[in-house]
Protein backbone atom coordinates (compact mmCIF):
# COMPACT_ATOMS: atom_id res chain seq x y z
CA UNK A 1 0.00 0.00 0.00
CA UNK A 2 1.33 3.41 -0.92
CA UNK A 3 1.40 6.41 1.39
CA UNK A 4 -1.76 8.48 1.19
CA UNK A 5 -3.98 5.65 -0.06
CA UNK A 6 -6.93 4.67 2.07
CA UNK A 7 -8.49 1.27 1.68
CA UNK A 8 -10.92 -1.00 3.43
CA UNK A 9 -10.14 -4.54 4.40
CA UNK A 10 -12.49 -7.12 5.94
CA UNK A 11 -15.67 -5.26 6.80
CA UNK A 12 -18.54 -5.79 9.19
CA UNK A 13 -19.73 -9.05 10.65
CA UNK A 14 -22.50 -9.30 8.06
CA UNK A 15 -19.85 -9.61 5.35
CA UNK A 16 -18.34 -12.63 7.07
CA UNK A 17 -21.24 -14.74 5.84
CA UNK A 18 -19.78 -14.43 2.35
CA UNK A 19 -16.41 -15.83 3.49
CA UNK A 20 -16.42 -19.29 5.00
CA UNK A 21 -14.20 -20.11 7.93
CA UNK A 22 -12.20 -22.45 5.71
CA UNK A 23 -11.63 -19.74 3.12
CA UNK A 24 -10.47 -17.30 5.80
CA UNK A 25 -8.17 -19.96 7.23
CA UNK A 26 -6.58 -20.43 3.81
CA UNK A 27 -6.12 -16.69 3.39
CA UNK A 28 -4.57 -16.30 6.82
CA UNK A 29 -2.20 -19.21 6.28
CA UNK A 30 -0.98 -17.62 3.04
CA UNK A 31 0.01 -14.40 4.82
CA UNK A 32 3.59 -13.94 6.10
CA UNK A 33 4.27 -15.70 9.39
CA UNK A 34 7.41 -13.71 10.23
CA UNK A 35 9.42 -10.71 8.94
CA UNK A 36 10.63 -11.25 5.39
CA UNK A 37 12.52 -9.12 2.90
CA UNK A 38 10.26 -7.33 0.44
CA UNK A 39 7.23 -6.97 2.73
CA UNK A 40 6.43 -3.29 3.29
CA UNK A 41 5.18 -1.75 6.55
CA UNK A 42 1.57 -1.22 5.41
CA UNK A 43 1.38 -4.85 4.24
CA UNK A 44 2.73 -6.01 7.59
CA UNK A 45 0.17 -3.97 9.52
CA UNK A 46 -2.62 -5.23 7.26
CA UNK A 47 -1.46 -8.80 7.87
CA UNK A 48 -1.28 -8.35 11.63
CA UNK A 49 -4.62 -6.53 11.91
CA UNK A 50 -6.35 -9.22 9.86
CA UNK A 51 -4.70 -11.93 11.97
CA UNK A 52 -5.78 -10.27 15.23
CA UNK A 53 -9.28 -9.71 13.85
CA UNK A 54 -9.46 -13.50 13.33
CA UNK A 55 -7.26 -14.31 16.31
CA UNK A 56 -8.45 -17.92 16.71
CA UNK A 57 -8.27 -18.80 13.02
CA UNK A 58 -6.75 -21.20 12.00
CA UNK A 59 -5.70 -22.03 15.58
CA UNK A 60 -6.21 -20.55 19.07
CA UNK A 61 -4.31 -17.25 19.52
CA UNK A 62 -2.86 -17.54 16.00
CA UNK A 63 -3.06 -13.76 15.57
CA UNK A 64 -1.14 -13.04 18.77
CA UNK A 65 1.44 -15.66 17.87
CA UNK A 66 2.01 -14.00 14.49
CA UNK A 67 2.26 -10.57 16.14
CA UNK A 68 4.99 -11.91 18.45
CA UNK A 69 7.14 -12.80 15.44
CA UNK A 70 6.98 -9.27 14.01
CA UNK A 71 7.63 -7.27 17.20
CA UNK A 72 10.92 -6.10 18.66
CA UNK A 73 11.78 -7.32 22.15
CA UNK A 74 10.96 -3.89 23.56
CA UNK A 75 7.55 -3.85 21.87
CA UNK A 76 6.71 -7.32 23.16
CA UNK A 77 7.68 -6.19 26.63
CA UNK A 78 5.51 -3.06 26.43
CA UNK A 79 2.47 -4.95 25.14
CA UNK A 80 2.67 -7.48 27.97
CA UNK A 81 3.56 -5.27 30.97
CA UNK A 82 7.12 -6.64 30.82
CA UNK A 83 5.99 -10.22 31.33
CA UNK A 84 5.79 -11.78 27.88
CA UNK A 85 8.70 -10.71 25.74
CA UNK A 86 10.76 -13.88 25.80
CA UNK A 87 8.39 -16.65 24.71
CA UNK A 88 5.29 -16.90 22.54
CA UNK A 89 3.42 -18.68 25.32
CA UNK A 90 3.99 -15.87 27.82
CA UNK A 91 3.24 -13.23 25.17
CA UNK A 92 -0.14 -14.84 24.47
CA UNK A 93 -0.83 -15.09 28.20
CA UNK A 94 0.00 -11.46 29.04
CA UNK A 95 -0.84 -9.51 25.86
CA UNK A 96 -3.62 -7.44 27.38
CA UNK A 97 -2.60 -3.86 26.58
CA UNK A 98 -5.35 -1.47 25.37
CA UNK A 99 -3.83 -1.53 21.87
CA UNK A 100 -4.09 -5.32 21.62
CA UNK A 101 -7.53 -5.60 23.20
CA UNK A 102 -8.92 -3.08 20.70
CA UNK A 103 -7.68 -5.13 17.74
CA UNK A 104 -8.47 -8.70 18.76
CA UNK A 105 -11.77 -9.87 17.22
CA UNK A 106 -12.59 -6.37 15.90
CA UNK A 107 -15.47 -6.40 13.37
CA UNK A 108 -13.52 -4.37 10.79
CA UNK A 109 -10.61 -2.02 10.13
CA UNK A 110 -9.00 0.14 7.48
CA UNK A 111 -5.56 1.65 6.94
CA UNK A 112 -5.80 5.43 6.87
CA UNK A 113 -2.26 6.68 6.41
CA UNK A 114 1.30 5.51 5.85
CA UNK A 115 4.25 7.80 6.56
CA UNK A 116 7.87 6.83 5.91
CA UNK A 117 10.72 8.65 7.67
CA UNK A 118 14.08 8.10 6.05
CA UNK A 119 16.81 6.39 8.03
CA UNK A 120 19.93 8.02 9.41
CA UNK A 121 23.47 6.84 10.02
CA UNK A 122 22.38 5.31 13.31
CA UNK A 123 18.98 3.78 12.50
CA UNK A 124 16.93 2.37 9.65
CA UNK A 125 13.82 3.83 8.03
CA UNK A 126 10.82 4.38 10.30
CA UNK A 127 7.21 3.88 9.23
CA UNK A 128 4.07 5.15 10.94
CA UNK A 129 0.82 3.43 9.93
CA UNK A 130 -2.51 4.78 11.21
CA UNK A 131 -5.36 2.27 11.36
CA UNK A 132 -9.06 2.89 11.99
CA UNK A 133 -10.72 0.03 13.87
CA UNK A 134 -14.48 -0.48 13.95
CA UNK A 135 -16.17 -1.45 17.19
CA UNK A 136 -19.62 -2.37 18.40
CA UNK A 137 -21.72 0.44 19.83
CA UNK A 138 -23.40 -0.07 23.20
CA UNK A 139 -26.73 -0.71 21.43
CA UNK A 140 -25.15 -3.43 19.29
CA UNK A 141 -24.98 -1.41 16.08
CA UNK A 142 -21.73 -1.34 14.13
CA UNK A 143 -19.92 1.98 14.34
CA UNK A 144 -17.19 3.31 12.08
CA UNK A 145 -14.37 5.66 12.99
CA UNK A 146 -15.31 7.91 10.06
CA UNK A 147 -18.35 9.14 12.04
CA UNK A 148 -16.72 10.11 15.32
CA UNK A 149 -19.75 11.89 16.78
CA UNK A 150 -21.89 8.77 16.38
CA UNK A 151 -19.15 6.29 17.20
CA UNK A 152 -17.53 7.07 20.56
CA UNK A 153 -16.29 3.47 20.87
CA UNK A 154 -14.28 3.50 17.64
CA UNK A 155 -10.54 4.04 17.82
CA UNK A 156 -7.50 4.77 15.76
CA UNK A 157 -4.25 2.93 16.32
CA UNK A 158 -0.74 4.06 15.46
CA UNK A 159 1.70 1.35 14.47
CA UNK A 160 5.39 2.23 14.34
CA UNK A 161 7.85 0.01 12.49
CA UNK A 162 11.57 0.26 11.84
CA UNK A 163 13.70 -1.36 9.17
CA UNK A 164 16.43 -3.49 10.68
CA UNK A 165 20.04 -2.76 9.76
CA UNK A 166 21.71 -5.76 11.35
CA UNK A 167 21.51 -9.52 10.80
CA UNK A 168 19.67 -11.81 11.10
CA UNK A 169 16.72 -9.61 10.05
CA UNK A 170 18.63 -6.99 8.08
CA UNK A 171 16.30 -5.15 5.69
CA UNK A 172 13.11 -6.42 7.36
CA UNK A 173 10.50 -4.21 8.99
CA UNK A 174 9.77 -4.86 12.70
CA UNK A 175 6.98 -3.44 14.84
CA UNK A 176 8.37 -1.16 17.56
CA UNK A 177 5.12 0.27 18.98
CA UNK A 178 1.35 -0.17 18.85
CA UNK A 179 -0.62 2.68 20.43
CA UNK A 180 -4.34 3.39 20.75
CA UNK A 181 -4.09 7.06 19.79
CA UNK A 182 -7.41 8.11 21.30
CA UNK A 183 -6.18 7.03 24.71
CA UNK A 184 -3.31 9.53 24.44
CA UNK A 185 -0.91 7.50 26.45
CA UNK A 186 1.72 4.92 25.77
CA UNK A 187 1.25 1.60 27.50
CA UNK A 188 4.90 1.22 28.44
CA UNK A 189 4.67 -1.69 30.86
CA UNK A 190 4.88 0.42 34.00
CA UNK A 191 1.16 0.18 34.76
CA UNK A 192 1.30 -3.55 35.34
CA UNK A 193 3.36 -5.92 37.37
CA UNK A 194 7.06 -5.22 37.56
CA UNK A 195 7.76 -8.91 37.17
CA UNK A 196 10.12 -9.62 34.29
CA UNK A 197 10.38 -12.84 32.36
Amino acid sequence: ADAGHHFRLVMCAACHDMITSGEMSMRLMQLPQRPTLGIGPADIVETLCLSLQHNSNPAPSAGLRRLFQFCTFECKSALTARQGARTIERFVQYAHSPAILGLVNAPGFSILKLTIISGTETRGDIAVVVVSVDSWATDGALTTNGHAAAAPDSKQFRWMLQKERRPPQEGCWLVTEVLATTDWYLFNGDSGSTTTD
Side-chain angles (χ1 to χ4, degrees), residues 10 19-29 50 54 57:
V10 175
I19 303 175
T20 68
S21 176
E23 290 171 337
M24 181 55 67
S25 294
M26 287 297 297
R27 180 177 179 188
L28 290 167
M29 286 188 291
L50 188 61
H54 301 276
N57 192 344

Side-chain angles (χ1 to χ4, degrees), residues 87-148:
T87 68
I88 290 181
E89 289 72 22
R90 288 181 65 85
F91 183 81
V92 169
Q93 181 180 359
Y94 291 105
H96 302 300
S97 79
I100 296 301
L101 292 179
L103 291 163
V104 171
N105 300 322
F109 65 94
S110 60
I111 296 203
L112 300 181
K113 184 178 181 181
L114 165 65
T115 304
I116 302 289
I117 303 168
S118 297
T120 67
E121 293 183 359
T122 58
R123 62 156 177 80
D125 295 347
I126 291 176
V128 180
V129 183
V130 179
V131 179
S132 171
V133 178
D134 299 331
S135 61
W136 293 104
T138 54
D139 63 358
L142 182 67
T143 62
T144 305
N145 211 12
H147 303 87

